[in-house]
């Protein structure tokens, strides 16, 4: 695996000109890095979720959102586009990938993106080092998975914001 370098951002999400190598050193208070999540939904309102590879250091084997950290020099859009392509083989562009919200977290700015895709899960090209499996689920199934701990719990604020914005984006899901 190659070395991943992150841009360090200030409290207003502006690059400071400094970088950090992932896993080497810590961000100081007031320093942040950029993370992206991409929510993949079908035209009938199902969610494509992914189980992380068992070899991942962070959240191994957990069902979670598609995404990752932006690498140095990347915009949020470029990071979301790259993660979709690398992890699932989904191609995106400025006409089908939309930013829903930016959340300020403990040491990151988290940009949440959405794309509508109608592909059977077996047609996706999974990056096995990152993704163990994928499946399409209804909103009710996803909410149940979150409640019973099967899907990573990013926190009430995260899910409240994401589902509100997804509802705005697509109308209320069935």
């Amino acid at each position: 695996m190659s070395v991943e370098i992150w841009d360090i951002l200030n409290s207003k999400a502006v690059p400071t000109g400094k970088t950090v190598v992932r896993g080497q050193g810590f961000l100081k208070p007031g320093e942040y890095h950029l993370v992206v999540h991409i929510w993949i939904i079908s035209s009938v309102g199902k969610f494509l979720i992914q189980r992380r590879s068992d070899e991942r250091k962070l959240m191994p084997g957990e069902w979670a959102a598609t995404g990752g950290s932006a690498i140095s020099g990347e915009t949020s859009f470029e990071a979301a586009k790259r993660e979709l392509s690398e992890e699932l083989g989904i191609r995106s562009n400025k006409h089908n990938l939309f930013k829903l919200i930016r959340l300020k977290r403990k040491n990151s700015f988290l940009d949440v993106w959405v794309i509508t895709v109608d592909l059977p899960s077996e047609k996706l090209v999974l990056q096995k080092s990152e993704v163990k499996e994928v499946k399409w689920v209804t909103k009710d199934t996803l909410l149940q998975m979150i409640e019973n701990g099967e899907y990573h719990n990013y926190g009430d604020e995260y899910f409240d914001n994401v589902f509100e914005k997804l509802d705005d984006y697509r109308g209320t899901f069935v």
Side-chain angles (χ1 to χ4, degrees):
M1 183 177 241
S2 61
V3 173
E4 196 171 299
I5 299 172
W6 298 340
D7 288 328
I8 296 176
L9 311 175
N10 68 18
S11 63
K12 302 222 184 288
V14 176
T16 63
K18 296 188 280 183
T19 59
V20 63
V21 174
R22 179 182 191 151
Q24 297 180 9
F26 296 94
L27 294 172
K28 298 176 183 140
E31 292 182 337
Y32 302 84
H33 73 287
L34 180 60
V35 175
V36 295
H37 282 178
I38 307 97
W39 283 78
I40 303 148
I41 60 174
S42 72
S43 59
V44 296
K46 286 193 171 185
F47 294 85
L48 182 71
I49 61 172
Q50 68 181 54
R51 184 188 298 264
R52 294 171 58 85
S53 166
D54 292 330
E55 287 75 47
R56 300 298 302 154
K57 276 188 175 181
L58 183 65
M59 301 160 29
E62 287 189 48
W63 288 99
T66 298
S69 295
I71 57 175
S72 184
E74 271 186 327
T75 65
S76 177
F77 172 79
E78 291 166 339
K81 182 178 175 179
R82 176 182 50 79
E83 291 289 350
L84 265 178
S85 179
E86 284 178 358
E87 293 186 7
L88 302 173
I90 295 174
R91 302 287 176 221
S92 60
N93 58 53
K94 292 191 185 261
H95 302 290
N96 65 3
L97 183 62
F98 304 98
K99 187 159 84 171
L100 288 177
I101 192 169
R102 170 170 277 180
L103 300 170
K104 190 174 183 179
R105 310 281 277 187
K106 179 181 173 187
N107 64 352
S108 66
F109 283 94
L110 173 58
D111 286 350
V112 181
W113 294 80
V114 63
I115 187 170
T116 301
V117 172
D118 287 310
L119 277 175
S121 54
E122 57 274 5
K123 294 274 190 194
L124 300 171
V125 180
L126 307 185
Q127 182 183 26
K128 292 297 185 183
S129 62
E130 297 271 344
V131 182
K132 182 176 183 175
E133 65 180 304
V134 296
K135 66 180 176 179
W136 288 100
V137 297
T138 64
K139 184 176 181 181
D140 286 344
T141 299
L142 179 57
L143 291 171
Q144 186 62 47
M145 289 176 75
I146 294 165
E147 188 176 310
N148 69 22
E150 288 179 77
Y151 189 92
H152 185 75
N153 188 347
Y154 295 104
D156 290 343
E157 178 189 10
Y158 174 90
F159 288 115
D160 289 348
N161 279 295
V162 168
F163 286 126
E164 178 185 332
K165 293 296 183 186
L166 284 171
D167 285 346
D168 290 346
Y169 169 74
R170 295 287 304 168
T172 304
F173 291 118
V174 176

